[in-house]
Amino acid sequence: MIIRKINAFTSEHFDLLLSADPNKHLVDDYLKRSFCFEAFENDTVLGVLILLPTRPETLEIVNIAVSQDHQGQGIGEQLIQFAFTQARENAYNTVEIGTGSTSFGQLYLYQKCGFRMTSIDHDFFIRHYDEEIVENKLVLKDMVRLSIDL
Ligand code: ACO
Ligand code: ACO
């Protein structure tokens, strides 16, 4: 598997992007301002990683997704380590990520990779998403924000 820049977005990329973030308008908006990468093997896109510079020394993972057939094989963790390398090489000191308060597996993964919780954006998913999101039998309302200093 290699991780490389995305040159042209396909429907495969968008399926992955929307699995991590169902708000197409938000996705379209941050894609224009981000560094975009894909995990790729045997002509197949296995995952996506979108890195948005938010402040002079901060890079945010605004979207990370692995195709369902390839989840649980360590690709997500490799994409996060790749984000840390990109950040270091480009002189960013901090990497941030936000996820749903009901995304227990994702919260596990991010903390395993060294992220610490910093704040809660209350009602983020109520304010920014037209349709109710239900995950792990809970209605998703709040975003948990995490960060790591490199
Ligand atoms: N539920 C439970 N455990 C999980 C989950 C999950 N959803 N995701 C990862 N883990 C655990 C794995 O079991 C593994 O644990 P281990 O190290 O103890 O064996 C560890 O985290 C590493 O997992 P990976 O195999 O590296 O992760 P994967 O390749 O499956 O990718 C990802 C993780 C990207 C979250 C994937 O599950 C996915 O695409 N989910 C759907 C989209 C999504 O939720 N994206 C994140 C939204 S937040 C954002 O984009 C900023
Ligand atoms: N992990 C995963 N799911 C859990 C857990 C857990 N540790 N605890 C409860 N749940 C889920 C159950 O699966 C159930 O889900 P469902 O409604 O979808 O079926 C739901 O939560 C309700 O579970 P109960 O059976 O009512 O909870 P239980 O009687 O097991 O009590 C408690 C929960 C008190 C947390 C118990 O697991 C416990 O004593 N744990 C050890 C001590 C502890 O951690 N206490 C809390 C520390 S924080 C504090 O004290 C303020």
Side-chain angles (χ1 to χ4, degrees), residues 47-119:
V48 290
L49 174 73
I50 310 298
L51 304 176
L52 174 69
T54 53
R55 291 189 294 279
E57 296 190 342
T58 304
L59 201 56
E60 179 169 344
I61 300 176
V62 283
N63 196 304
I64 179 170
V66 171
S67 71
Q68 235 163 0
D69 294 352
H70 296 87
Q71 287 177 11
Q73 299 172 20
I75 298 169
E77 210 169 326
Q78 285 181 62
L79 286 169
I80 291 171
Q81 294 302 335
F82 180 86
F84 295 166
T85 305
Q86 284 293 311
R88 281 193 195 97
E89 285 177 357
N90 293 285
Y92 292 96
N93 294 331
T94 303
V95 178
E96 293 186 341
I97 193 163
T99 195
S101 64
T102 52
S103 305
F104 305 123
Q106 289 81 341
L107 285 166
Y108 163 78
L109 170 60
Y110 304 153
Q111 289 175 93
K112 188 183 172 206
C113 291
F115 283 97
R116 304 278 300 272
M117 293 190 189
T118 49
S119 61

Side-chain angles (χ1 to χ4, degrees), residues 22-39:
N23 187 330
K24 176 113 176 32
H25 293 297
L26 278 186
V27 172
D28 284 338
D29 180 56
Y30 58 63
L31 283 186
K32 288 181 227 148
R33 296 177 285 127
S34 299
F35 308 111
C36 305
F37 300 94
E38 63 184 357

Side-chain angles (χ1 to χ4, degrees), residues 115-128:
F115 283 97
R116 304 278 300 272
M117 293 190 189
T118 49
S119 61
I120 308 288
D121 195 340
H122 280 273
D123 288 329
F124 177 89
F125 294 97
I126 305 285
R127 281 185 273 113
H128 293 284

